[in-house]
Amino acid sequence: MNVNKKPKNKNKIAMITAIACLCAVAIFIGVIAVLNISRDMKNQKAVATCGSYDIPYEELRFVTLYYKNELELRHGEGIWDDPTTAEKYRAELEECVISNLNESYAILTICESYNIDPDGDDVKEYVDETIASMIENDFGGDKNEYKKFLEENNMTERLFQFTVKISYLQSAVFYMLVDSGVYMEYTSKNIDEFIDFVEDEDSYARTIHVYIENGKGEDAEKNLANAQMISEELNKITSESERLEKMHHYISNYSEDFKLTTTDGFYFSKNEMDKVYEDQTFALEVGEVSDAFACTDGYYVIMRLAPEDEYVMKNVSTLLTNYQSAQMGLFVQVYRDNYPAAFNEYGKSLDLVAME
C-alpha cells in the first residue's frame, strides 16, 4: 500500500494566509474608521446656540478643559479629583464656560451685519498659509507632530482652523471700525485731538503699582497685610517726589508684576484695563496712592502719575492702537450681550466637571 501523500500546495496555503491577513487588517482599519467617524460626529454635534450659529461639542470641550485648568491653578491642584471640591467649584466652572462660548460668534454676527464675508478667498488663504507656516516653522514640516500638539491641547484640526479664521475676522472687523470713523472717536486722522485726550485726567491715566500675587501655597492674609502696610507707609509721606521714590523701592522689593519693567508705568484710557483696577485709578488724583485692593488673584497698591509729554509723543501710535482696541472690545461686547450662548438639551445633559 502506497502511504506517500501528495505534497501540499505551498503557494495555495501562502495565498490563503495572505488573504486572511488582509481581511484582518481591513477589519482593523474599518473599526478605526468607524471609531474616527463616531468621534468626529460627536465633535460636530451641536451643544449650544448663539444667534443663528450652532456651537459644536469640540469647542465646548476645549473651553471647558481650559477653564478646568485655570480654576485648578487658581484654587489648588486636584480640585476636580475630589468630589467635594469639584462640586464646590462647579458653578464657577459653568459660569466661565457659558460666558466665554459666544465671543467667536459675536465676531461672525458682526461680519454678517457689515457684509464681511467670513468664508471669502482671502480668509481661506490666510488660514491655509498660517497653518502651513506653523507646521513648517514650529514642527519641522511634520504634520503628525502638529496633530499631536493639537491633541495635547484638547484641540481638533477643524477647531484650530476655525480659531485662526476668527483671528483674521477680528482684524477685519477692527480695520472696518477704524476706517469707518463712526465707532472710533480718535484715529490717525485726528492724532492731535487724541494727544489732548491723553492729557485729560478724567478720561486717561498713567499708573505704577505694587502687585503681590497669591501664589500657590502662599498665605493670602499675609500678602494682604504686606499690601496694606505699603499703602499706609506711602500715604504717610507728604512729599509727592519722596512718595514716588518710596514707591519705586516697594516695587523693586515686593512687586510680582514682571510687565512693569520701566518707570514709565502704564498709560490707558477707560475700558483698557480690569474694571476694578480702573475704578481704583480714576478715584485718585495725580500723585495719590490707593488703598490695597484685591484684583486678578492678588493685591494691588496703585500710584497715579501725570503723563509725560515726551513719552506720549514717542509712543502715540501704540497708545492710539490700545485705545482703538478697547473701543472694539466695547463694540464686540454689545453683540456678546445681545447674543448670549444657550445650551440645547444635549448640552444641558453634559457634565462639565466630568469632561475629559
Side-chain angles (χ1 to χ4, degrees):
M1 180 177 180
N2 186 359
V3 295
N4 292 331
K5 297 182 179 178
K6 292 183 180 180
K8 294 181 179 178
N9 189 332
K10 293 182 178 180
N11 291 335
K12 184 175 181 181
I13 293 173
M15 183 178 295
I16 293 172
T17 302
I19 292 172
C21 289
L22 287 173
C23 289
V25 170
I27 291 171
F28 177 75
I29 292 173
V31 169
I32 295 298
V34 169
L35 290 175
N36 286 337
I37 291 171
S38 177
R39 182 172 61 180
D40 198 51
M41 290 177 64
K42 180 179 181 179
N43 280 333
Q44 293 187 65
K45 188 171 182 178
V47 296
T49 57
C50 182
S52 60
Y53 299 95
D54 287 333
I55 302 174
Y57 174 86
E58 61 190 356
E59 187 170 356
L60 173 66
R61 177 176 178 267
F62 172 77
V63 173
T64 299
L65 295 182
Y66 172 83
Y67 280 107
K68 285 182 74 172
N69 183 61
E70 285 294 301
L71 293 178
E72 192 167 21
L73 291 174
R74 184 182 305 172
H75 299 300
E77 188 176 348
I79 60 172
W80 307 115
D81 300 329
D82 184 334
T84 302
T85 54
E87 283 305 312
K88 179 180 178 181
Y89 297 112
R90 175 185 291 277
E92 187 175 0
L93 172 64
E94 292 174 347
E95 182 180 354
C96 287
V97 170
I98 194 66
S99 64
N100 285 278
L101 270 178
N102 68 342
E103 184 166 358
S104 296
Y105 302 96
I107 296 296
L108 288 174
T109 303
I110 292 170
C111 290
E112 183 182 325
S113 302
Y114 288 86
N115 296 318
I116 298 173
D117 185 0
D119 297 308
D121 291 339
D122 55 333
V123 181
K124 294 176 182 176
E125 183 178 350
Y126 175 82
V127 172
D128 291 343
E129 289 182 354
T130 299
I131 294 175
S133 176
M134 180 180 176
I135 293 171
E136 183 63 32
N137 296 323
D138 297 339
F139 302 100
D142 190 337
K143 192 169 183 179
N144 287 329
E145 286 298 311
Y146 161 71
K147 291 180 178 180
K148 181 181 177 182
F149 166 80
L150 293 182
E151 187 174 349
E152 288 173 349
N153 287 275
N154 308 307
M155 176 90 64
T156 65
E157 287 187 79
R158 181 174 46 248
L159 181 57
F160 186 68
Q161 291 168 354
F162 177 71
T163 302
V164 175
K165 169 181 170 178
I166 293 299
S167 176
Y168 179 88
L169 294 175
Q170 284 175 324
S171 296
V173 170
F174 175 80
Y175 289 115
M176 179 274 292
L177 295 176
V178 172
D179 292 344
S180 71
V182 176
Y183 303 99
M184 301 287 183
E185 186 173 356
Y186 302 107
T187 67
S188 58
K189 296 177 182 178
N190 61 344
I191 197 73
D192 290 339
E193 292 179 25
F194 176 71
I195 292 172
D196 292 338
F197 170 73
V198 171
E199 295 173 350
D200 180 0
E201 292 180 12
D202 292 331
S203 304
Y204 210 93
R206 174 193 174 204
T207 62
I208 56 176
H209 58 245
V210 174
Y211 171 63
I212 302 176
E213 183 180 17
N214 289 328
K216 182 179 178 181
E218 291 186 352
D219 186 338
E221 291 185 3
K222 182 179 179 181
N223 288 340
L224 175 58
N226 284 334
Q228 289 172 331
M229 176 275 293
I230 291 169
S231 174
E232 290 167 3
E233 291 299 314
L234 288 170
N235 278 299
K236 289 178 182 178
I237 302 172
T238 56
S239 166
E240 185 176 326
S241 60
E242 291 179 12
R243 188 183 305 128
L244 178 58
E245 183 179 353
K246 192 68 172 178
M247 182 65 163
H248 288 151
H249 166 78
Y250 283 129
I251 290 172
S252 297
N253 289 277
Y254 284 89
S255 188
E256 297 173 279
D257 185 351
F258 303 111
K259 295 178 183 177
L260 188 61
T261 57
T262 70
T263 58
D264 296 322
F266 296 97
Y267 286 70
F268 56 93
S269 62
K270 291 180 179 178
N271 304 303
E272 286 186 40
M273 302 284 274
D274 184 280
K275 187 177 186 306
V276 175
Y277 189 100
E278 284 184 8
D279 289 345
Q280 292 286 336
T281 298
F282 285 100
L284 299 172
E285 298 293 332
V286 170
E288 289 185 339
V289 172
S290 73
D291 293 333
F293 64 93
C295 184
T296 58
D297 299 325
Y299 301 101
Y300 280 89
V301 177
I302 291 173
M303 184 172 185
R304 186 171 184 183
L305 304 176
E308 293 185 346
D309 292 341
E310 183 178 356
Y311 179 90
V312 172
M313 296 305 295
K314 285 182 177 179
N315 298 276
V316 66
S317 295
T318 299
L319 299 180
L320 177 61
T321 299
N322 292 343
Y323 157 81
Q324 291 172 337
S325 296
Q327 298 307 301
M328 175 174 165
L330 291 174
F331 181 80
V332 173
Q333 189 60 47
V334 172
Y335 279 79
R336 293 186 67 184
D337 291 341
N338 289 336
Y339 299 94
F343 283 122
N344 57 24
E345 290 304 312
Y346 174 58
K348 292 176 183 177
S349 72
L350 297 172
D351 183 356
L352 302 188
V353 169
M355 190 171 287
E356 296 180 348

